[in-house]
Amino acid sequence: MFNYRLYLSAITACVGGLLFGYDTGFIGAAVQLEAFQRDFGMNTANAANVKGNVVATLQAGCFFGTLMMAVVTSKTGRKWGMAISSTVFVVGAIVQTATTNNLGVIYGGRAISGLGIGGASMLAPLYLSEISPARIRGKLSMIYGFSIFFGIMISYWIDYGCERGLDPKGHNQWRIPVALQLVPGAMLCIGAYFISESPRWLAKVNRREEALRHLSHIRMKPEDDAELLQEFHDICHAIEEEIRVSEGVSLKELISPMYRWRVFIGFSTMICQQLTGTVSLTYYAPLLFTTLGLSSTSSSLFATGVYGIVKSVATMIFLLFFIERVGRRLPLILGALAMMTFMAIVAAIDAAQPPVAGSSSPSSASIAAIVMVYLYCISYAVSWGPLPYTVVSEIYPSRIREYCVSIGVATMWAFNYCISRIVPIAIANIGWRTFLMFSILNAFVAVYSFLVIRETTGISLENMDEVFSSGLFMSPKQWTFRTPKSTVEYPELMELERQLSAKRNAEDAHVENVPRSSASVASTANSERRQ
């Protein structure tokens, strides 16, 4: 079941994360470059407003792109949705690259690119959850989180290299980082053509024979393989049961007693991701490091680049060795507690020994604060950085998954916008209290994680209903930090599986809907025609 086709499909989808990471990472440093500030008329009076607008126009595009893609992908599928998103992104990147001194064109290009990034940021985790076996769904979803951090890291070092190596009197110092957006955009556009469509989406739109064929291709198993047919049968049965219960997708279904708390958990989890404070470091890392005592542009960009490396390496280690062992719940709780602690220490250091203006080198207190920021970064990279995308993409039934994931990711972009507008103002006006604010918010996130986040590692997408049967808050028996080895550790799921098994054996009519029989009939018909 674990094969190169599965991982190649996952890596291709994760290029969407690379788009996300690169585009959100490079702009914060690009607007600090001398060439950008000269070409676009930035000065002391308008610098803060220009920086905020360049970030905000992307986020606005992402918000609307996420919502629109929910409708598009329900009709066209995941594969072509990714192709459309990447094409829109490339158009926006070309617009940004082509201008020289028109901020309006930059804003417009950023908004267009945002439409593409928003669509890709919703589709990638959705596609990954739908093609992944339950046993490694967390690992494949973590690849998406890693791709975001990897894109951010690359963007930081490209900005640093352009600042150090290119003449600020020309245009290339800022244009090269902008133009390099085209690389991941083209990669996703081309790669989407070669990957398989989501079998779950195909089954949902009643293209069952195609669904079985694509599932067989991804799993690298023949269509008559017993384990493959069992997985396919579970997918089809879950979809049919959802159709029977809900009788059609509508907005009312999202607020029905069966799903409303799950929808709330999805978008509140994405809100909590933003409340951890990571957006302040992604967009404004150079400004943050300057605030902590790295006064020169080069030193702040270098520290930002190291920050990107630390985040990527931490995520990779967690992805390779821990994700399927420790699950979702424990890392989210401990990660929030760790970030709370490190942000509190940064606030205390900055309050007690603020950096001296005009100092040629950072003080020991500033270095200690920067180390705490890196530790915060590691805590985020193994918890609230990648895992919310995994949680949000796996907790919904097939019928409404794209709409719910879209709502969750759109909410993330909305709060991403709010926090990104607040942070530079907060740093300028309340200084070290900004870090204290994020420490308090992380304490809230830790409590939320303990009371609300379920352990879903190893549970198939078709069996999530019973995991969330208790509503918003977990039942006490779910207050565990153990990773379930199978559905046997959930008595409700074991009973549900018994019922489903009995129903499968009793309903011959349902068995006839499985394309194995239709494929056999087609094969027989073809043989008769040849004879």
Side-chain angles (χ1 to χ4, degrees), residues 15-94:
V15 176
L18 199 62
L19 294 182
F20 181 171
Y22 185 88
D23 225 55
T24 55
F26 90 90
I27 197 63
V31 296
Q32 300 280 98
L33 298 174
E34 182 182 336
F36 187 94
Q37 295 183 354
R38 183 199 65 246
D39 284 354
F40 294 99
M42 291 177 62
N43 52 51
T44 305
N46 68 5
N49 189 50
V50 170
K51 292 175 184 177
N53 289 339
V54 168
V55 170
T57 49
L58 177 80
Q59 294 163 331
C62 290
F63 176 80
F64 290 106
T66 300
L67 294 177
M68 288 189 291
M69 187 48 64
V71 178
V72 173
T73 191
S74 68
K75 306 296 183 183
T76 66
R78 317 313 186 208
K79 168 179 175 157
W80 296 114
M82 282 187 272
I84 293 170
S85 294
S86 57
T87 301
V88 172
F89 173 83
V90 167
V91 171
I94 291 173

Side-chain angles (χ1 to χ4, degrees), residues 130-454:
E130 291 184 341
I131 67 169
S132 304
R135 284 175 286 179
I136 61 167
R137 189 174 60 243
K139 180 174 290 188
L140 292 185
S141 297
M142 275 287 291
I143 297 176
Y144 177 71
F146 172 77
S147 68
I148 295 175
F149 299 151
F150 188 69
I152 292 172
M153 180 193 72
I154 291 174
S155 72
Y156 287 161
W157 285 106
I158 287 174
D159 283 333
Y160 177 73
C162 290
E163 191 275 335
R164 295 288 294 173
L166 296 178
D167 187 356
K169 295 179 181 179
H171 305 301
N172 289 338
Q173 192 182 57
W174 66 266
R175 182 166 282 160
I176 287 177
V178 172
L180 286 175
Q181 298 174 91
L182 293 166
V183 176
M187 288 171 59
L188 182 59
C189 189
I190 296 171
Y193 179 78
F194 294 100
I195 62 176
S196 293
E197 183 54 86
S198 163
R200 284 181 167 88
W201 177 80
L202 289 169
K204 189 186 77 168
V205 297
N206 208 30
R207 292 159 61 178
R208 300 294 172 88
E209 292 192 20
E210 289 182 69
L212 179 59
R213 187 168 65 250
H214 282 261
L215 184 65
S216 172
H217 179 79
I218 293 171
R219 297 289 186 262
M220 296 182 66
K221 290 188 175 184
E223 293 184 15
D224 59 355
D225 179 81
E227 185 178 3
L228 182 82
L229 286 172
Q230 181 63 53
E231 181 182 3
F232 180 73
H233 194 282
D234 290 343
I235 292 171
C236 293
H237 181 82
I239 291 172
E240 289 169 2
E241 187 66 17
E242 292 161 14
I243 293 173
R244 185 188 66 78
V245 171
S246 58
E247 297 181 351
V249 175
S250 68
L251 292 178
K252 289 183 179 180
E253 189 175 351
L254 302 183
I255 58 174
S256 66
M258 182 181 296
Y259 299 128
R260 61 190 175 199
W261 288 121
R262 232 184 299 181
V263 174
F264 177 81
I265 290 170
F267 72 74
S268 61
T269 297
M270 300 309 291
I271 291 173
C272 286
Q273 184 197 45
Q274 299 305 300
L275 295 182
T276 61
T278 178
V279 69
S280 63
L281 289 173
T282 300
Y283 290 121
Y284 302 110
L287 174 63
L288 185 78
F289 287 119
T290 299
T291 302
L292 294 177
L294 299 179
S295 55
S296 72
T297 301
S298 291
S299 59
S300 64
L301 290 179
F302 181 82
T304 301
V306 173
Y307 170 82
I309 291 176
V310 170
K311 185 185 289 187
S312 296
V313 171
T315 306
M316 178 57 74
I317 293 173
F318 186 70
L319 166 67
L320 292 176
F321 301 108
F322 298 105
I323 176 61
E324 298 298 348
R325 298 181 182 180
V326 299
R328 325 291 195 243
R329 181 171 154 77
L330 182 61
L332 290 173
I333 295 172
L334 295 183
L337 291 174
M339 289 186 286
M340 174 195 73
T341 303
F342 297 134
M343 283 288 103
I345 295 173
V346 171
I349 292 173
D350 202 35
Q353 296 190 35
V356 178
S359 176
S360 59
S361 60
S363 65
S364 57
S366 294
I367 293 174
I370 291 170
V371 170
M372 291 300 107
V373 169
Y374 287 152
L375 292 175
Y376 162 90
C377 157
I378 293 172
S379 303
Y380 175 78
V382 300
S383 59
W384 280 94
L387 284 176
Y389 298 102
T390 303
V391 171
V392 169
S393 64
E394 70 184 2
I395 65 175
Y396 303 114
S398 297
R399 287 176 48 71
I400 59 172
R401 187 174 296 129
E402 61 256 26
Y403 298 103
C404 294
V405 173
S406 177
I407 291 171
V409 177
T411 303
M412 180 272 290
W413 283 115
F415 272 77
N416 189 289
Y417 169 80
C418 295
I419 301 295
S420 69
R421 297 296 278 181
I422 290 171
V423 165
I425 298 172
I427 289 176
N429 290 278
I430 62 175
W432 61 268
R433 295 173 186 84
T434 305
F435 305 111
L436 180 61
M437 173 184 72
F438 283 123
S439 178
I440 295 171
L441 289 174
N442 274 292
F444 164 78
V445 171
V447 174
Y448 168 88
S449 303
F450 181 79
L451 295 176
V452 174
I453 299 294
R454 275 75 163 171

